Amino acid sequence: MLNLERLRTLDALARHGSVSGAADGLHVTTSAVSQQMSKLEREVGQRLLAKNGRGVRLTDAGRLLADHAARILSQVELAQSDLEAQRGQVVGELRLSAFPTAARGLFPAVLGALRAEHPGLRVRSRELEPEQGVSGLIRGDLDLAVVLDWYNKPLPVPEGLVKATLLDDPADVAMPEKHPLADRDAVDLEDFADDEWISWPEGEFCHEWLVYTLRAKGIEPRIAHLAGEHHTQLALVAAGLGVCVAPRLGRDPLPEGVRAVPVRHRVHRYVHALWREDADRRPSIRAAVEALRRAGAGVV
């Protein structure tokens, strides 16, 4: 009889590609991963891992068993989901992620509500960018991820994931209060063709969206500064170093000397919850989505 936890360790190794990655994903030590794999090799009577430089790789037998392990673990999760649904209780563990402004703007209310309403549910949360949240769901490291689409640039969602829309998050343009457009009731992105922009780091979905959107309007963006946190971007705006797009979800009070002006042709993000299809019937997923929607209703 194959041990389920050892199959879970093998699955993590196959997904993460290293012992350290598997240990991080499983929240155990590298020694624990190595011990579980040694026991699994004894159980099956074959080598599952081979040395590969400083790391390891799966042998042919290891890859074969890892493929079976992924299917077995999916069926186990489906069975757990069905049992939870039949019992109708919100219990167990729920692992959540959200991009930073959603974590700031939604998680305090959501996690507090889940703790008060469902004391048998253990929730763990973390900040992750949308692409990382999607990857965490696929790997099985997360149960639910809060992600975003921009109105003109959707986030690719792989097959096997379920999506529920939580809220529509408008964005303004933040500029120094002495900017020539700061007294306007509304602006267009084209108005800032000659301004320097403060953007998210290169490679992030929101940075790609900003470049894509400005270029679609015939503007080659002059991106002067990169910052992952919105309050850092706004601090740079306050110093007169450029303008930035400032979504309203999770936005701190504007620093002194900064004005946020709505965009005439509305710029906005759709905020979604994602989870795996095989967990669709879990009451804990449904409870979390409901709490997220309630929190989102009062945001903007």
Side-chain angles (χ1 to χ4, degrees):
M1 182 70 69
L2 293 171
N3 180 280
L4 189 62
E5 287 307 309
R6 288 165 200 156
L7 289 179
R8 198 179 304 279
T9 302
L10 175 62
D11 177 65
L13 263 170
R15 288 186 283 104
H16 291 279
S18 68
V19 172
S20 59
D24 289 341
L26 295 169
H27 303 285
V28 298
T29 64
T30 55
S31 176
V33 170
S34 298
Q35 290 174 17
Q36 290 283 58
M37 290 305 302
S38 295
K39 291 177 181 177
L40 185 58
E41 286 183 328
R42 289 197 294 272
E43 284 180 353
V44 301
Q46 296 188 63
R47 288 188 64 193
L48 303 176
L49 297 178
K51 289 186 177 180
N52 184 30
R54 292 186 176 182
V56 296
R57 61 173 177 83
L58 294 178
T59 64
D60 290 344
R63 286 194 296 271
L64 176 65
L65 186 56
D67 289 342
H68 284 289
R71 292 192 291 272
I72 290 167
L73 292 170
S74 178
Q75 284 299 118
V76 168
E77 180 157 6
L78 184 59
Q80 291 173 334
S81 178
D82 286 344
L83 285 171
E84 281 187 30
Q86 185 183 53
R87 188 169 49 184
Q89 296 178 342
V90 181
V91 295
E93 182 178 81
L94 190 66
R95 299 162 298 171
L96 309 179
S97 78
F99 58 95
T101 50
R104 186 182 312 127
L106 298 176
F107 272 5
V110 168
L111 301 182
L114 290 174
R115 173 175 288 186
E117 296 167 12
H118 307 290
L121 181 66
R122 300 183 304 278
V123 181
R124 289 192 291 156
S125 70
R126 59 192 303 193
E127 281 189 5
L128 289 176
E129 292 299 328
E131 303 93 329
Q132 295 173 310
V134 170
S135 297
L137 288 173
I138 293 170
R139 292 195 307 266
D141 298 338
L142 295 170
D143 299 306
L144 185 148
V146 179
V147 302
L148 66 90
D149 284 330
W150 283 96
Y151 68 102
N152 59 341
K153 188 175 177 63
L155 178 75
V157 176
E159 291 185 8
L161 298 183
V162 179
K163 180 168 75 172
T165 300
L166 302 174
L167 67 130
D168 184 353
D169 179 28
D172 307 311
V173 177
M175 64 196 79
E177 64 180 3
K178 294 183 179 179
H179 192 282
L181 303 179
D183 292 331
R184 295 271 188 94
D185 293 329
V187 293
D188 294 312
L189 293 180
E190 295 92 324
D191 295 335
F192 301 92
D194 296 326
D195 282 89
E196 292 188 329
W197 285 88
I198 298 159
S199 177
W200 298 267
E202 292 180 0
E204 288 192 6
F205 182 66
C206 288
H207 176 87
E208 293 175 355
W209 165 80
L210 180 63
V211 172
Y212 166 84
T213 300
L214 292 175
R215 285 177 176 168
K217 295 179 179 295
I219 303 168
E220 184 57 35
R222 299 172 57 199
I223 296 176
H225 306 285
L226 303 174
E229 293 291 337
H230 283 187
H231 59 263
T232 304
Q233 295 180 9
L234 292 171
L236 294 172
V237 172
L241 298 173
V243 301
C244 74
V245 172
R248 297 178 190 173
L249 174 63
R251 190 165 79 193
D252 294 327
L254 293 175
E256 185 176 349
V258 174
R259 174 90 195 283
V261 180
V263 180
R264 184 173 291 106
H265 298 289
R266 196 165 179 267
V267 170
H268 59 106
R269 313 185 293 185
Y270 298 111
V271 180
H272 309 287
L274 297 180
W275 61 91
R276 292 185 300 280
E277 284 182 352
D278 53 19
D280 193 43
R281 296 185 63 201
R282 288 179 59 185
S284 56
I285 295 286
R286 296 299 173 187
V289 172
E290 181 184 347
L292 283 163
R293 280 181 168 150
R294 289 201 309 264
V299 169
V300 291

